[in-house]
Amino acid sequence: MTLEFKSEENGMSIELEYGKLNISGNADNGFRPFQLLVASIASCSAMVFRKILTKQRISIDDLKVTAEVERNEEEANRVERMTLSFVVYGNQLNEKRLQKNLMLARKNCAMIRSVEGSIDIQETLLIVNTTN
């Protein structure tokens, strides 16, 4: 797969299926590169997790993930650590089963696998019981 990026006055851009993506070091002009990196990792992990739950017919009401990021200013502000905090909303959910599926999602998330050894990624899981 080849992606073509174009130089713009305030950064870079790419035309994708859903429109133009502007990338810039200045948040006023586009998405910052580190935001795209974090979004890719958090979203990939959450989407794989949800797909696993769906395949196993585990019904949930909602899924949210928050990413806490630690950067090293002395190393070009590189992303060194991320904590992905998953919150699963549902009724009568089995915590051990969800935890096992979260580990399976990690093993099958292309973005996490791509940065293994470079970024320390930890996951936490919180289950919020909802009653119908």
Side-chain angles (χ1 to χ4, degrees), residues 6 9 25 34 38 90 104 113-114 129:
K6 293 169 58 177
E9 182 178 340
F34 98 91
V38 173
L104 184 59
R113 299 302 302 266
S114 295
N129 189 32

PDB file of all heavy atoms in Angstrom, residues 6 9 25 34 38 90 104 113-114 129:
ATOM      1  N   LYS A   6       1.013  15.313   0.726  1.00  0.00           N
ATOM      2  CA  LYS A   6       1.385  16.547   0.044  1.00  0.00           C
ATOM      3  C   LYS A   6       1.816  17.590   1.058  1.00  0.00           C
ATOM      4  O   LYS A   6       1.205  17.728   2.121  1.00  0.00           O
ATOM      5  CB  LYS A   6       0.193  17.070  -0.765  1.00  0.00           C
ATOM      6  CG  LYS A   6      -0.188  16.168  -1.927  1.00  0.00           C
ATOM      7  CD  LYS A   6      -1.502  16.545  -2.564  1.00  0.00           C
ATOM      8  CE  LYS A   6      -1.524  17.963  -3.080  1.00  0.00           C
ATOM      9  NZ  LYS A   6      -2.796  18.296  -3.759  1.00  0.00           N
ATOM     10  N   GLU A   9       1.354  24.585   3.392  1.00  0.00           N
ATOM     11  CA  GLU A   9       2.013  25.717   4.055  1.00  0.00           C
ATOM     12  C   GLU A   9       2.245  25.454   5.539  1.00  0.00           C
ATOM     13  O   GLU A   9       3.272  25.796   6.096  1.00  0.00           O
ATOM     14  CB  GLU A   9       1.173  26.983   3.880  1.00  0.00           C
ATOM     15  CG  GLU A   9       1.815  28.213   4.487  1.00  0.00           C
ATOM     16  CD  GLU A   9       1.005  29.469   4.268  1.00  0.00           C
ATOM     17  OE1 GLU A   9       0.150  29.499   3.356  1.00  0.00           O
ATOM     18  OE2 GLU A   9       1.223  30.425   5.025  1.00  0.00           O
ATOM     19  N   GLY A  25       2.179  20.339  13.100  1.00  0.00           N
ATOM     20  CA  GLY A  25       2.704  20.457  14.452  1.00  0.00           C
ATOM     21  C   GLY A  25       1.914  21.448  15.282  1.00  0.00           C
ATOM     22  O   GLY A  25       2.026  21.491  16.500  1.00  0.00           O
ATOM     23  N   PHE A  34       1.480  13.184  16.950  1.00  0.00           N
ATOM     24  CA  PHE A  34       1.347  12.314  18.116  1.00  0.00           C
ATOM     25  C   PHE A  34      -0.120  11.980  18.394  1.00  0.00           C
ATOM     26  O   PHE A  34      -0.439  10.887  18.866  1.00  0.00           O
ATOM     27  CB  PHE A  34       2.059  12.897  19.347  1.00  0.00           C
ATOM     28  CG  PHE A  34       1.185  13.628  20.318  1.00  0.00           C
ATOM     29  CD1 PHE A  34       0.607  12.949  21.386  1.00  0.00           C
ATOM     30  CD2 PHE A  34       0.933  14.978  20.183  1.00  0.00           C
ATOM     31  CE1 PHE A  34      -0.202  13.613  22.287  1.00  0.00           C
ATOM     32  CE2 PHE A  34       0.136  15.646  21.091  1.00  0.00           C
ATOM     33  CZ  PHE A  34      -0.436  14.967  22.147  1.00  0.00           C
ATOM     34  N   VAL A  38      -1.484   8.145  18.774  1.00  0.00           N
ATOM     35  CA  VAL A  38      -2.272   7.690  19.931  1.00  0.00           C
ATOM     36  C   VAL A  38      -3.654   7.226  19.483  1.00  0.00           C
ATOM     37  O   VAL A  38      -4.141   6.177  19.920  1.00  0.00           O
ATOM     38  CB  VAL A  38      -2.362   8.799  20.998  1.00  0.00           C
ATOM     39  CG1 VAL A  38      -3.315   8.409  22.118  1.00  0.00           C
ATOM     40  CG2 VAL A  38      -0.977   9.118  21.552  1.00  0.00           C
ATOM     41  N   GLY A  90     -22.234  -2.665  30.664  1.00  0.00           N
ATOM     42  CA  GLY A  90     -23.102  -3.783  30.335  1.00  0.00           C
ATOM     43  C   GLY A  90     -23.695  -4.405  31.583  1.00  0.00           C
ATOM     44  O   GLY A  90     -23.449  -3.958  32.705  1.00  0.00           O
ATOM     45  N   LEU A 104      -6.278 -10.781  24.309  1.00  0.00           N
ATOM     46  CA  LEU A 104      -6.361 -11.293  22.944  1.00  0.00           C
ATOM     47  C   LEU A 104      -6.401 -10.141  21.939  1.00  0.00           C
ATOM     48  O   LEU A 104      -5.757 -10.199  20.884  1.00  0.00           O
ATOM     49  CB  LEU A 104      -7.597 -12.184  22.798  1.00  0.00           C
ATOM     50  CG  LEU A 104      -7.806 -12.884  21.463  1.00  0.00           C
ATOM     51  CD1 LEU A 104      -6.636 -13.794  21.128  1.00  0.00           C
ATOM     52  CD2 LEU A 104      -9.111 -13.681  21.503  1.00  0.00           C
ATOM     53  N   ARG A 113       1.088  -4.015  17.907  1.00  0.00           N
ATOM     54  CA  ARG A 113       2.168  -4.898  17.483  1.00  0.00           C
ATOM     55  C   ARG A 113       3.263  -4.126  16.745  1.00  0.00           C
ATOM     56  O   ARG A 113       4.434  -4.460  16.835  1.00  0.00           O
ATOM     57  CB  ARG A 113       1.638  -6.028  16.605  1.00  0.00           C
ATOM     58  CG  ARG A 113       0.616  -6.961  17.267  1.00  0.00           C
ATOM     59  CD  ARG A 113       1.130  -7.639  18.523  1.00  0.00           C
ATOM     60  NE  ARG A 113       2.312  -8.412  18.336  1.00  0.00           N
ATOM     61  CZ  ARG A 113       2.345  -9.727  18.081  1.00  0.00           C
ATOM     62  NH1 ARG A 113       1.234 -10.408  18.002  1.00  0.00           N
ATOM     63  NH2 ARG A 113       3.498 -10.352  17.931  1.00  0.00           N
ATOM     64  N   SER A 114       2.880  -3.068  16.047  1.00  0.00           N
ATOM     65  CA  SER A 114       3.843  -2.267  15.285  1.00  0.00           C
ATOM     66  C   SER A 114       4.776  -1.447  16.176  1.00  0.00           C
ATOM     67  O   SER A 114       5.898  -1.144  15.772  1.00  0.00           O
ATOM     68  CB  SER A 114       3.117  -1.321  14.326  1.00  0.00           C
ATOM     69  OG  SER A 114       2.416  -2.055  13.349  1.00  0.00           O
ATOM     70  N   ASN A 129     -21.604  -1.766  35.590  1.00  0.00           N
ATOM     71  CA  ASN A 129     -22.822  -2.552  35.475  1.00  0.00           C
ATOM     72  C   ASN A 129     -24.011  -1.640  35.156  1.00  0.00           C
ATOM     73  O   ASN A 129     -24.257  -0.660  35.855  1.00  0.00           O
ATOM     74  CB  ASN A 129     -23.076  -3.328  36.772  1.00  0.00           C
ATOM     75  CG  ASN A 129     -24.203  -4.322  36.638  1.00  0.00           C
ATOM     76  OD1 ASN A 129     -24.434  -4.890  35.571  1.00  0.00           O
ATOM     77  ND2 ASN A 129     -24.923  -4.534  37.717  1.00  0.00           N
TER      78      ASN A 129
END
